[in-house]
Amino acid sequence: MKTKVGIVGYGNLGRGVEKVLQYHDDLELVGIFTRRDPDSLDTASRAYHMDALEKKTNDIDVLILCGGSATDIPETAHMYAKNFSTVDCYDNHRDMPNHFKRMNEAATGGENVSIIGTGWDPGVFSVQKLYSEALLPNGESYTFWGPGLSQGHSDAVRRLDGVKLAAQYTMPSSEMIKEIEDGRDVSYDKFSSHHRVVYVVLEEGADADIVRESIITMPDYFEPYETEVHFISESEYNKNHTQLRHGGHVIRRGYTGDNTHTYKTTLDLDSNPEFTASVAVACARAAKRFMDARQFGAKSIFDIPPMYLLNESRESLIERLL
Ligand code: NDP
């Protein structure tokens, strides 16, 4: 029997999940749930208003929560976790321990499973950091994001009063990456090794100075990064700022005696939301496996046995990949 998946929220990520599900024979899309008029969504899939969810508890195995991290996920995810198993792509690293706690209480109480913080960062990068630190304990780690458009940061800017459209680019220090690759010592912290560039289309009558100040002082997302804010027209935005490319590198340099080992993971993504959705969908399969094993509660990506991510038996995986 196929695992039945619901999508909550139909933005970039929701559309990505809808697209990615077609590549998984063991998963099926039951429906898309939105706060908007479902008939207004441009989709051939079944779409429902969010209010219809409460009657669907028996029809859905896993809900993939595709709302924004700025407010949707912290305010609503735990409510879904009471009645459904969930997967989310929450990306507020600093709030993750609180999010885990909220989701664990809700999911445990409802005998559900909630896999939190999936995607590529947090998500795939987090796993690579764990592996590289475990394998090379004597060393140092570096993470670089971009150049690319960050959906989470763009979403956070779009939620500000006076902002009509926004695109936020994360720019890594290419000089520093080169220095690390050349084996030179660098003074790395994630703030000084990146800067942020924001393009904003203002609502009519909005005050640019107030919007700029709200962006550059936004804790966790922008403060203390060096941030440039540019105000542009809607036509320029539509012409130059609608691509969703992203990626980055996780690098660990480790030492055993005089020998140096470099463990590097690179993601080069044509579509940030479609790759993020790809991770969330594989994690939806894992959530069902946890449910079948009655291992309820919140799980991080570290808690997922790698075998839970693929629709394949242990025997076949050992034969094919070990
Ligand atoms: P969007 O802004 O596209 O969508 C967020 C929500 O807004 C949707 O769920 C939808 O809810 C609503 N919405 C979307 N389009 C419209 C519209 N035209 N009018 C009104 N409401 C709309 O965000 P993304 O999908 O790009 O990103 C979602 C989150 O994914 C980000 O906040 C980010 O945190 C996370 N993310 C995580 C990554 C990771 O690696 N962990 C990587 C990339 C993203 P509804 O349908 O209910 O209206």
Side-chain angles (χ1 to χ4, degrees):
M1 226 180 34
K2 292 192 180 193
T3 295
K4 297 188 247 40
V5 176
I7 295 173
V8 171
Y10 196 62
N12 298 308
L13 184 58
R15 284 192 294 276
V17 170
E18 179 187 34
K19 186 169 181 182
V20 165
L21 278 169
Q22 68 181 302
Y23 302 111
H24 295 264
D25 294 341
D26 59 321
L27 309 177
E28 74 176 307
L29 178 61
V30 172
I32 295 163
F33 299 85
T34 178
R35 292 163 289 196
R36 287 167 283 160
D37 172 4
D39 293 334
S40 71
L41 302 189
D42 183 14
T43 176
S45 305
R46 275 169 291 178
Y48 305 89
H49 191 268
M50 208 70 93
D51 295 345
L53 249 186
E54 61 188 60
K55 296 208 180 89
K56 297 271 181 197
T57 44
N58 295 327
D59 303 334
I60 294 173
D61 296 309
V62 186
L63 274 184
I64 303 187
L65 306 179
C66 299
S69 291
T71 52
D72 293 341
I73 297 296
E75 288 173 8
T76 63
H78 58 285
M79 298 197 262
Y80 298 116
K82 283 184 190 155
N83 298 317
F84 296 93
S85 285
T86 65
V87 171
D88 68 59
C89 300
Y90 189 46
D91 73 355
N92 185 338
H93 296 263
R94 199 178 292 183
D95 189 47
M96 214 53 90
N98 292 329
H99 183 54
F100 184 88
K101 198 162 167 272
R102 281 192 297 267
M103 296 302 276
N104 195 40
E105 275 170 19
T108 306
E111 297 206 332
N112 291 312
V113 170
S114 287
I115 303 187
I116 66 155
T118 79
W120 62 279
D121 194 9
V124 174
F125 272 10
S126 319
V127 171
Q128 294 306 326
K129 285 180 209 172
L130 185 151
Y131 274 117
S132 62
E133 286 184 23
L135 306 182
L136 297 170
N138 180 32
E140 63 272 339
S141 296
Y142 311 93
T143 306
F144 293 94
W145 301 270
L149 185 136
S150 161
Q151 288 167 250
H153 290 80
S154 303
D155 178 51
V157 174
R158 280 197 296 271
R159 305 281 166 133
L160 293 173
D161 282 346
V163 173
K164 185 169 185 189
L165 297 166
Q168 193 271 185
Y169 297 90
T170 306
M171 312 297 288
S173 164
S174 41
E175 299 81 29
M176 199 180 280
I177 295 175
K178 176 94 178 55
E179 283 173 348
I180 293 168
E181 287 176 344
D182 289 349
R184 278 179 276 156
D185 287 336
V186 294
S187 160
Y188 170 94
D189 69 68
K190 71 176 182 177
F191 304 114
S192 61
S193 53
H194 296 81
H195 70 282
R196 300 192 178 281
V197 181
V198 192
Y199 292 89
V200 176
V201 179
L202 289 173
E203 299 275 14
E204 215 172 299
D207 184 319
D209 289 338
I210 294 176
V211 170
R212 176 183 279 108
E213 193 60 19
S214 310
I215 294 171
I216 63 176
T217 57
M218 195 186 297
D220 300 343
Y221 280 90
F222 290 96
E223 220 275 321
Y225 287 95
E226 184 191 319
T227 302
E228 283 171 38
V229 182
H230 302 278
F231 295 99
I232 58 171
S233 68
E234 191 160 349
S235 60
E236 187 182 340
Y237 178 91
N238 289 331
K239 187 163 161 234
N240 297 327
H241 300 289
T242 52
Q243 289 291 314
L244 297 174
R245 282 194 63 83
H246 212 334
H249 313 276
V250 165
I251 307 170
R252 181 148 182 97
R253 226 168 31 188
Y255 312 99
T256 51
D258 293 337
N259 296 316
T260 301
H261 313 281
T262 304
Y263 183 128
K264 181 173 172 186
T265 305
T266 296
L267 290 175
D268 184 1
L269 312 173
D270 259 2
S271 165
N272 181 356
E274 288 178 19
F275 184 78
T276 303
S278 302
V279 183
V281 166
C283 290
R285 174 180 297 118
K288 178 68 166 60
R289 301 262 170 98
F290 280 120
M291 279 300 282
D292 292 345
R294 297 187 58 78
Q295 291 177 11
F296 306 123
K299 317 280 173 200
S300 72
I301 199 152
F302 305 132
D303 299 307
I304 302 176
M307 274 191 325
Y308 275 19
L309 295 166
L310 265 172
N311 180 29
E312 207 170 320
S313 68
R314 171 188 280 122
E315 293 70 24
S316 163
L317 286 171
I318 290 173
E319 193 182 313
R320 212 168 57 77
L321 298 180
L322 199 62

